Structure formats: structure tokens, C-alpha cells
Amino acid sequence: MTPKQLIDELIYRSSLAMDSKDFTGFLDLCDPAFRYAITAYIPEIRKEITWLEHDKDGMKVLFDNLPRHNSDHSSLTRHVTVYTVEQDEAKQQAKTISALQVFKTTLDGGVTELFAVGKIYDTISMNGGNPKLLDRNVRLDTRMLGIGFHIPL
Amino acid sequence: MSRNEIAWKEQPKFPSTHFVDTRIYTDNQIFREEQEKIFNKCWIIGCHESELPNAFDYRTFHHPGGAQLFMIRGEDMKVRAFYNICPHRGNTLLYDPVGNAKRITCIFHAWSFSPKGECTDIPRGKEGYQERYGCKDASLREVKSEVGYGGFVWVNVDDDSCTLKEYIGDALGMMEENLSMPLEVFTYHKAIVNTNYKLWHDTNSEFYHDYMHYFNRITGMMQPGYFDRKYKGYPNGHASVGSMAIKYDAYAGSQERAVGWPGLAPGGWVLIDLFPGMTFNLRTSVLRMDTAIPLGPDKLIIEFRGLGLKSDTPEQRAERVRDHNTIWGPFGRNLHEDLLGVHGQGLAMRERSDSKWVLHGREENSTIHDEVGMRHFYAEWGKRMGRQASDPFSDNKLA
């Protein structure tokens, strides 16, 4: 596969892993220095906000604690389209921008509704042909998130 | 043994102050009365002064009584509040939630208004109205507003209301020192939940639901002093809960707290509920403010604000943001659980679901799992509504 294909596949596999709640599988796609954030701009107060921020260890703790919390058990389906890939061969990294739509499907009756839209800004370590997620910023346009969610997007 | 229909509907064997009829959470007539008799009479938080830092900055607000308002800072730096309605053809004057307007001009026919609410221009006014009507007749409707108690902008649509100071009384006294320095809103979001506004305020008025939060069970409930915290009621339906220290390091992944809050012990927590739907929640490094805005008996907007000190360094602010959002953000550990709880109550109490009573009967010397906070709220609710929450339609008298 070409580097572009490897990058696309990494991003799509990360969404598949999260959709299926395969959190170990998701973390396997991440570099040890991985950082994750959900951010947004809040026009009502004219400020940027970071709603969730973790390193790889923090993500693991979050995933490990999920069964201990009371949560909405609806499933999330992420629809991701990789828009742009910019490779930096000197750094052995790539920066990508992907469109994101997240749909929530209830367990009772399987009603699906749009949960959130935004973009994913990824930095990827090329890692000698075995690319890994180094940094992910899920940048949300949606800020009305109902009762919220415990699982990252 | 389970209960049959008759037993299910039987009135709880508590004093009438210790339970409510669930129709107060679902009935449309009661909701309309609440808008008139409660929300249109009480002081409500519209926004925070830090959301209007400059002259001519404005912020719109959906008042829980139903009116659409905007708050605007004048050239004199005073904040005033008005109906967001053009007196000509009833159009919305300010469409965006926030902005800066030296002159407020209706997009429909270009009638213009000053930030003091004066009409400054009616295009072709003389030609159309001659001497019959002019700017002097077309001012905006101003509603009472005051800035105070941590820099919040309070509004009251009742021209004959008491002052804000009279309304709050001593209820915020426990936070007086904590609110004495300039504050700034650093996060804001809304949630729409299919539930009644009182159920959200109830959740903020009782800590027995800490059983729902894994985080609170291990960081709060098991710590010394948890069961010593006491509720205190104040006139006008307000209530407070005293401080305790939270053992954050009991939750894996929680960081050591480096940033605190002036006047609050490290790991401290103070909560004050203001009637009819506002909560000051000061926990360690962050002040959270909830404002409940009902859209109907079973639909609610909650506005969530997180505040820090205006004097914060970028590092301090970043820590406050982290502290707030890991617990109370839309992806935080506790907020989702609290909202899930009231969402579930909304589902169970839908009309025709045959829900009947909600119990407020725990008595533990006013300590943390006592339900006196809710009882205090419903005593005020009953006084203002002229109904008992346990018998809102006087069924017992009719019987």
C-alpha cells in the first residue's frame, strides 16, 4: 500500500475500533506519545474549550473505568472521510483532516439520530511503514450534546 | 410482596411535606402557572458580566418565564436588560447569541434603538405616522437587572419585585469570600433534556444520589466528614450544603490539585441552590453555575457555566478547565450520570405512565442524605403556587 493508503486505513480502523468498543484495539493504533482531545469554539462566550484531554495512559484509565460508571448504552457509529493528507518526510509524520459525523443508535428500537458533527485533526507517526496515531483533536461543531456521553468520539 | 394498583396509588404514610404528586412534573397547566407565579416573579441569572466585557457587548437570553431578552452593556458600562422584540412588527431584534451593537437596528424595517432602550430612528416616520406616533412612543421594554454575587447578571421581569439583595438574603453568605474577586466564564454549554426543571433542581438539592456516581462514592462518600455536611434552608426557598474535602486521588487518573480557590480549603466543596432553578457549585478549583430554563413541563434547557478567576495565569486556567471538564463537561464523568438520571425520571413520569408519588422522606438531622433540601424547595413552591406539591389538584379535599 502507498503511504496515503496506510494513513487512510489507520484512521478508518481507529473509527471501526471505537465503534465496536474495542478500546484495546484502538490503543494499539496509537503511538506511546499519543495525545487525544475533544475541542470546540464556544461563540456564546467567544472562547475555545477543551472538553476532554488525555495522553495514552489517561485514555486507558478512561476506558478501564467505563464499566464502573452509569452510562447511556446506545451505540455510536462514526462516519469519517479523510479530506486531506500532508506528509512531512523529514519528520516521518503526516497531518490529516477528516470530516466526522457521529450517529447514536438506541438499544430500544434501534432509533438512530445524529449526535455530533465536526472534523478530526490527526498527526500520524509514519513509524517506518507502520503508522500510528500521535495526536488526535476531535474538533466539534456540535455543542448541544444532550445528556452527553462517557465514550470519546 | 409487590403492590397492586390500589396499594401503588395509596398516599405515602409520610407528612404531606415529605412526598409530592408526580403531576407537578408533567401537567401543562401547572407549568404555565409556574411561569407566571414563579419564574416571572423571581430573580434569574441571565449571563455573567465577563460575557459582556466591552461597551455595547450584548448577550441574548431565553427567560424561563417565556420572554426573549437581551442584556447589553451601555457606553456608561452599565448592563441593562430588554425584551428582544421590536415594538413595530414584533420581530427579533438581535439574532446572534452574542455580539456588539452601538445601535440596535431591526433587520425588518430598520427601526433603531440605543443600548439604553431609546428608539433613535423610525425610517420615514413623519411620512407614515405624521405626529401620531414617533420615537418617544417606541422605546424598548426594559426589565429589571442587577450585577452581583460573583458578577452574575440577574434579571427580573416583574417591575414590582423586591431587590436582588432582598431575594437572595443570606443564602450566598457561605460563598461571600469565594465570590469576592472578579470571575470569568471559561466554558459554557447547554443540554436539552426531556424532563421537568424541578427534577434537575432536586438532583442539585440532594446528595443521596451520590450512589449513582462511582467517582463520588470513592472520592467523597467514603471519606471522613462526608456525613457531617449539613443542609441549611434560607427564606425564598434557597438552601446550602457546607464544605467537605474531596479525596481526588482515590479515583485512578485524577491528578493532584495544584490550583485551588480563594477562601476554600484544598479539596473543598460548597453548594448553594437558589430558588427556582439556579445552583452555585464550588468544588476545589472551579465554580459551576447551572441555570434551569424549562421549555414545557417535560422539556428543559440547562445552561452550564464554568468559572475561574479573571486573574488566572494560562496554566491555572488550563487546570481549572481540566478539573471542570473531566467531571462536569459533556464528556465528563459525573454530568452524564446526573443527566441520565433526570432523563430516566422524565421517561418514567410521562403522562399516562401511572407514576404517582416521589418521596422526599429521608430525615437524618439535616445531614447530607437528608431530603430536607427538596422539602425546603417545595414549601416555597407551594406558597407561591397556592397548591401543595403533594396534592396539587386538591384531590383529597374533593374526596
Side-chain angles (χ1 to χ4, degrees), chain B residues 75-340:
Chain B
E75 196 168 14
D76 56 1
M77 299 306 279
K78 182 173 159 47
V79 177
R80 297 175 180 84
F82 302 96
Y83 279 8
N84 191 9
I85 299 175
C86 179
H88 174 218
R89 291 283 306 283
N91 210 323
T92 296
L93 284 170
L94 295 168
Y95 281 67
D96 292 339
V98 67
N100 185 281
K102 196 176 276 187
R103 182 182 161 111
I104 301 149
T105 302
C106 181
I107 61 167
F108 214 3
H109 303 90
W111 288 33
S112 291
F113 306 90
S114 78
K116 287 185 175 175
E118 305 144 331
C119 176
T120 54
D121 188 38
I122 297 176
R124 302 192 66 253
K126 286 279 184 205
E127 288 86 341
Y129 298 111
Q130 298 83 41
E131 301 304 322
R132 295 174 296 128
Y133 188 91
C135 276
K136 64 180 188 323
D137 307 302
S139 306
L140 300 182
R141 156 76 161 110
E142 183 169 2
V143 303
K144 292 170 89 167
S145 61
E146 290 190 36
V147 177
Y149 300 100
F152 288 94
V153 178
W154 304 73
V155 294
N156 195 320
V157 298
D158 178 11
D159 289 342
D160 299 321
S161 75
C162 63
T163 64
L164 175 63
K165 193 174 175 190
E166 288 167 337
Y167 183 69
I168 299 295
D170 296 328
L172 283 164
M174 197 181 278
M175 275 190 196
E176 195 174 344
E177 187 185 349
N178 312 126
L179 301 178
S180 63
M181 68 294 298
L183 307 181
E184 187 173 55
V185 175
F186 61 71
T187 187
Y188 170 88
H189 83 279
K190 298 181 193 181
I192 291 184
V193 192
N194 293 327
T195 198
N196 185 274
Y197 80 92
K198 296 186 289 298
L199 293 167
W200 182 251
H201 201 65
D202 290 351
T203 295
N204 276 335
S205 304
E206 58 92 355
F207 278 80
Y208 189 39
H209 80 274
D210 272 346
Y211 280 105
M212 179 164 69
H213 300 303
Y214 167 65
F215 181 78
N216 290 21
R217 287 200 305 274
I218 62 166
T219 62
M221 282 178 76
M222 293 168 72
Q223 306 311 318
Y226 176 84
F227 286 101
D228 297 337
R229 302 177 73 194
K230 278 207 165 189
Y231 283 100
K232 185 175 177 189
Y234 301 88
N236 294 325
H238 314 315
S240 70
V241 181
S243 187
M244 70 167 295
I246 311 299
K247 192 171 168 51
Y248 285 100
D249 57 4
Y251 185 97
S254 278
Q255 295 176 332
E256 194 175 314
R257 262 64 185 169
V259 177
W261 193 281
L264 188 71
W269 186 2
V270 181
L271 185 138
I272 298 173
D273 292 306
L274 298 181
F275 189 89
M278 296 160 288
T279 301
F280 284 71
N281 193 345
L282 179 61
R283 188 166 169 166
T284 302
S285 71
V286 171
L287 175 65
R288 167 179 145 194
M289 160 57 62
D290 296 4
T291 311
I293 303 169
L295 301 176
D298 53 4
K299 196 175 270 295
L300 166 69
I301 292 180
I302 312 165
E303 290 191 322
F304 297 102
R305 287 179 168 82
L307 295 100
L309 307 185
K310 203 172 260 184
S311 59
D312 281 343
T313 63
E315 294 75 22
Q316 288 170 325
R317 180 58 58 86
E319 185 158 338
R320 289 191 208 281
V321 169
R322 257 195 313 276
D323 285 351
H324 180 277
N325 286 338
T326 52
I327 302 171
W328 292 330
F331 297 93
R333 293 187 288 251
N334 283 25
L335 188 69
H336 176 54
E337 291 173 330
D338 283 326
L339 290 170
L340 190 62

Side-chain angles (χ1 to χ4, degrees), chain A residues 38 42-53 61 65 68-72 115 140 143-151 153, chain B residues 51 57 59 97-99 184-192 212 214 251-253 321-322 325 330-333 336-337 339-340 343:
Chain A
I38 299 177
I42 306 180
E44 292 97 333
I45 58 169
R46 297 175 254 219
K47 283 186 171 58
E48 293 285 334
I49 192 67
T50 301
W51 273 332
L52 193 69
E53 189 178 24
V61 170
N65 276 330
R68 301 184 177 106
H69 286 279
N70 287 301
S71 303
D72 179 359
F115 179 63
L140 289 184
R143 288 171 292 113
M144 184 77 83
L145 295 155
I147 64 170
F149 220 72
H150 275 148
I151 300 175
L153 300 177
Chain B
E51 295 164 57
D57 281 348
R59 181 86 168 83
V98 67
E184 187 173 55
V185 175
F186 61 71
T187 187
Y188 170 88
H189 83 279
K190 298 181 193 181
I192 291 184
M212 179 164 69
Y214 167 65
Y251 185 97
V321 169
R322 257 195 313 276
N325 286 338
F331 297 93
R333 293 187 288 251
H336 176 54
E337 291 173 330
L339 290 170
L340 190 62
H343 164 75

